[in-house]
Amino acid sequence: MTFPSPPSLDDGVLTVVGSDVGDWSRSPGDHQNDSRKRFYNSAIDVVAGEANSQFVRAVMAAEATSLVTNLGTHGVGYINGDLTVGLARLPVGEWVGVQGDSHWAADGIAVGTATLFDRSGAFGSGMTTAVSNPAAQIDFANDPFPLRIP
């Protein structure tokens, strides 16, 4: 499986979001559509002054499984209940990607799966469970992250 490369990642931006029908940006609102979503992240240090291990990088990036599987045409209307991460190897480099693979929902319960990848390819999976909460729908169309990647 081939994963799209993000834009140049040397401008200090730590997170970018993409979809099959939108260019990379910082805003999830640019990707409120019905296509596959992806997220690229260079994690902040968990402990100040200590570099993250590759395991920590992978798990922190995997948190985006909920975003890439639950973000739809009207934003995110689910509360993430659980995340399971499985790794075949540790990621290579500072940047870790997460690409949504599935989203299944019935009676207010959803499950989603995503592939974790780096510049060398896929190395693991994330699976999230979520509970529908339309009263707290997060519509990113008017989000506070206006920075766009040129």
Side-chain angles (χ1 to χ4, degrees), residues 33-65:
N33 55 53
D34 60 1
S35 74
R36 178 189 309 257
K37 312 299 185 295
R38 59 193 57 85
F39 178 88
Y40 233 126
N41 181 327
S42 178
I44 62 169
D45 291 340
V46 175
V47 177
E50 296 289 327
N52 291 333
S53 68
Q54 292 307 94
F55 177 78
V56 168
R57 283 185 198 289
V59 174
M60 286 183 66
E63 281 290 329
T65 299

Side-chain angles (χ1 to χ4, degrees), residues 87-137:
L87 304 176
R89 64 171 172 82
L90 292 175
V92 175
E94 293 185 25
W95 289 88
V96 176
V98 182
Q99 179 169 281
D101 293 324
S102 68
H103 173 88
W104 308 107
D107 300 324
I109 304 296
V111 296
T113 60
T115 298
L116 307 177
F117 64 96
D118 57 23
R119 293 194 184 270
S120 297
F123 65 85
S125 296
M127 185 186 87
T128 186
T129 57
V131 178
S132 178
N133 187 4
Q137 181 86 19

